[in-house]
Amino acid sequence: MIQELHDIQAAAGATFAELTTAETVPVSFGNDAAAIAATKQGAALYDRTHWGRIQISDSDRLRFLHNQSTNNFNILKPGQGCDTVFLTSTARTIDLATAYATEDAVLLLVSANRRRQLLELLDRYIFPMDRVELTDLTDTTIAFSLLGPESTQLLEKLGVSELENQPYATHKTIENSPLSPPYQEGYRGGVRVAVGSGLATPGYTLIAPASDAAHLWKALVKAGAVPMGDRVWEQLRIEQGRPAPDFELTDDYNPLEARLSNTISYDKGCYIGQETIARLNTYKGVKQELWGVELSGAVAPGTIITIGAEKVGKLTSFVQTESGFFGLAYIRTKAGGPGLKVQLGEIAGEVVNIPFLSL
């Protein structure tokens, strides 16, 4: 099923690479410039199947997730969703995930390199009296994202118009549309379409059975979506400021420093890491924050950022684009924010805002 999808992608010019988590992903379709243009003027199609999909079901599912991460799950209704952050007991970041509440479950879309850790973490906190069931759906489902201003019109061509102008993470299962394969005896499919591309760029995320992968990809491309590889996603992630595990989301940082306050409910009660978050928020204890940095040259992640002889931060991600050099960095709050002039060795930089953390 997934191999058929990869065969179609390879025929369209895709080159593949294996991640450290052993998943194989299309790195590029040989059209990086066209894909970037599509995210700004059309609709690009990104294969997120290597991301993890974890289902939490049974009657205590909302209460359980409410106690495990930063956002308020108790208020979610079927068809709604939210972003949430999973933390260590000392409020260090593990992953930024998106949750979709259905009639009988919650589906989490998590980073590829955090799926196993989160499965183990969640399983550890299920107690004998909890009515909670944990299921890894990663191998039996696929996920694609549409990115770009024409994403809504593209879905309308395929008979999907219900989600236009709906709030972020609103989602609906679409059946009997060109998105799904023709009727098959015993088929229990349907494509879940959710508002949000995963980045600041407008768009949608689609989750479907793995058996639908090839049909869904071909339908979206035929409707006008431009295939986009992981290399472009990583460039956009850095330029737009989405923090990623092992780079901005590590044991060194908490979600307030990562500027993920929109994922935190401050009045929901106890959850893992809550005491530290509450104390930092109450006493304004955030000593560093995540910003973008425009650079005059190439710099390796991990490079110390200075003003004169004073250390004021550290670079966490870097990308070189046609328009220049750009990075993400944690900068001491006392040093300043956008407009701040800094040095990274011999390379000059200026701190700037980033769209994903300004939503």
Side-chain angles (χ1 to χ4, degrees):
M1 293 177 286
I2 299 302
Q3 186 57 52
E4 183 183 1
L5 172 64
H6 285 176
D7 289 344
I8 293 168
Q9 292 169 333
T15 54
F16 295 83
E18 188 173 284
L19 303 178
T20 55
T21 48
E23 290 89 351
T24 300
V25 302
V27 176
S28 174
F29 287 83
N31 67 340
D32 290 1
I36 291 170
T39 68
K40 298 175 181 178
Q41 302 162 2
L45 175 60
Y46 174 56
D47 185 354
R48 295 175 76 181
T49 298
H50 57 289
W51 290 53
R53 288 165 295 285
I54 301 171
Q55 177 179 277
I56 297 89
S57 55
D58 216 334
S59 57
D60 287 336
R61 62 189 181 277
L62 290 177
R63 178 191 59 79
F64 174 73
L65 285 169
H66 191 82
N67 295 336
Q68 302 304 318
S69 67
T70 58
N71 221 325
N72 189 340
F73 278 81
N74 285 341
I75 63 173
L76 286 184
K77 305 298 182 188
Q80 296 179 333
C82 65
D83 283 346
T84 195
V85 182
F86 288 91
L87 306 173
T88 67
S89 58
T90 56
R92 301 301 182 172
T93 53
I94 298 173
D95 195 21
L96 170 63
T98 303
Y100 304 110
T102 72
E103 292 287 349
D104 55 6
V106 176
L107 181 61
L108 294 177
L109 181 62
V110 305
S111 300
N113 55 355
R114 288 296 182 267
R115 171 172 64 109
R116 291 180 176 84
Q117 182 179 350
L118 287 173
L119 281 165
E120 293 172 3
L121 177 73
L122 294 171
D123 185 63
R124 190 184 314 145
Y125 285 100
I126 298 176
F127 298 107
M129 296 298 291
D130 288 335
R131 292 185 293 276
V132 175
E133 185 175 342
L134 199 62
T135 309
D136 185 1
L137 298 182
T138 307
D139 292 337
T140 58
T141 59
I142 54 93
F144 302 151
S145 280
L146 288 169
L147 303 92
E150 297 296 318
S151 297
T152 296
Q153 290 87 332
L154 187 148
L155 286 180
E156 286 177 349
K157 292 181 188 176
L158 296 167
V160 181
S161 58
E162 300 94 321
L163 294 169
E164 186 174 2
N165 298 321
Q166 293 300 304
Y168 175 76
T170 299
H171 57 97
K172 182 178 179 62
T173 298
I174 307 297
E175 299 174 326
N176 302 317
S177 84
L179 290 175
S180 297
Y183 175 77
Q184 304 166 39
E185 188 68 34
Y187 176 73
R188 296 290 182 271
V191 180
R192 185 168 304 282
V193 182
V195 177
S197 68
L199 296 176
T201 302
Y204 299 86
T205 295
L206 298 84
I207 299 173
S211 58
D212 293 2
H215 175 90
L216 181 57
W217 183 270
K218 287 190 291 187
L220 293 168
V221 171
K222 185 178 180 180
V226 177
M228 181 183 101
D230 194 63
R231 185 165 62 202
V232 173
W233 170 274
E234 183 66 5
Q235 175 181 327
L236 295 175
R237 177 195 78 76
I238 295 171
E239 289 181 321
Q240 297 186 14
R242 177 179 174 128
D246 297 332
F247 294 93
E248 293 76 35
L249 304 179
T250 72
D251 283 341
D252 295 324
Y253 309 111
N254 64 62
L256 292 175
E257 293 171 332
R259 293 175 58 205
L260 293 172
S261 293
N262 63 315
T263 69
I264 301 172
S265 172
Y266 293 101
D267 56 6
K268 61 176 274 186
C270 292
Y271 59 92
I272 296 174
Q274 181 264 339
E275 290 184 5
T276 300
I277 296 298
R279 187 165 59 250
L280 287 169
N281 184 57
T282 299
Y283 296 105
K284 310 300 180 188
V286 178
K287 293 182 170 59
Q288 57 188 343
E289 288 185 311
L290 184 62
W291 297 99
V293 186
E294 293 179 345
L295 300 160
S296 62
V299 186
T303 298
I304 299 302
I305 299 173
T306 60
I307 298 177
E310 182 183 7
K311 174 185 173 182
V312 296
K314 184 171 76 171
L315 195 75
T316 55
S317 290
F318 168 81
V319 66
Q320 180 178 354
T321 73
E322 289 185 354
S323 57
F325 305 91
F326 194 84
L328 296 177
Y330 281 96
I331 303 292
R332 284 177 50 192
T333 52
K334 288 184 178 179
L340 185 69
K341 307 293 186 181
V342 296
Q343 287 293 133
L344 296 86
E346 298 298 317
I347 302 300
E350 180 176 342
V351 176
V352 297
N353 216 329
I354 30 184
F356 188 84
L357 300 180
S358 305
L359 296 175

